[in-house]
Amino acid sequence: MEVIFQQLFENFCFPYDPEEASEGQDPVRAYGRCAFEAGFRLAVRLTAACLADPDR
């Protein structure tokens, strides 16, 4: 499983960009939120793909 997590992390979690954080925002939380959003979008896409009608 660790190999899968490593591959997902490298493909979906981008490097920290200080320009993405708002002024005065904690950079760790800002990056964490961006990484969480990317992971959540991936989870929703995977769920939708798994629940899709295979006959379509």
Side-chain angles (χ1 to χ4, degrees):
M1 288 296 284
E2 186 174 331
V3 173
I4 293 171
F5 291 137
Q6 183 68 29
Q7 289 295 318
L8 288 171
F9 180 81
E10 289 175 4
N11 288 304
F12 289 99
C13 294
F14 44 86
Y16 173 70
D17 182 9
E19 299 297 322
E20 292 288 322
S22 300
E23 186 69 30
Q25 187 177 13
D26 179 14
V28 174
R29 287 183 57 91
Y31 178 74
R33 180 176 174 168
C34 290
F36 175 79
E37 288 176 5
F40 189 79
R41 281 192 295 271
L42 174 63
V44 169
R45 288 183 190 145
L46 289 172
T47 301
C50 289
L51 296 175
D53 186 8
D55 294 332
R56 285 186 172 189

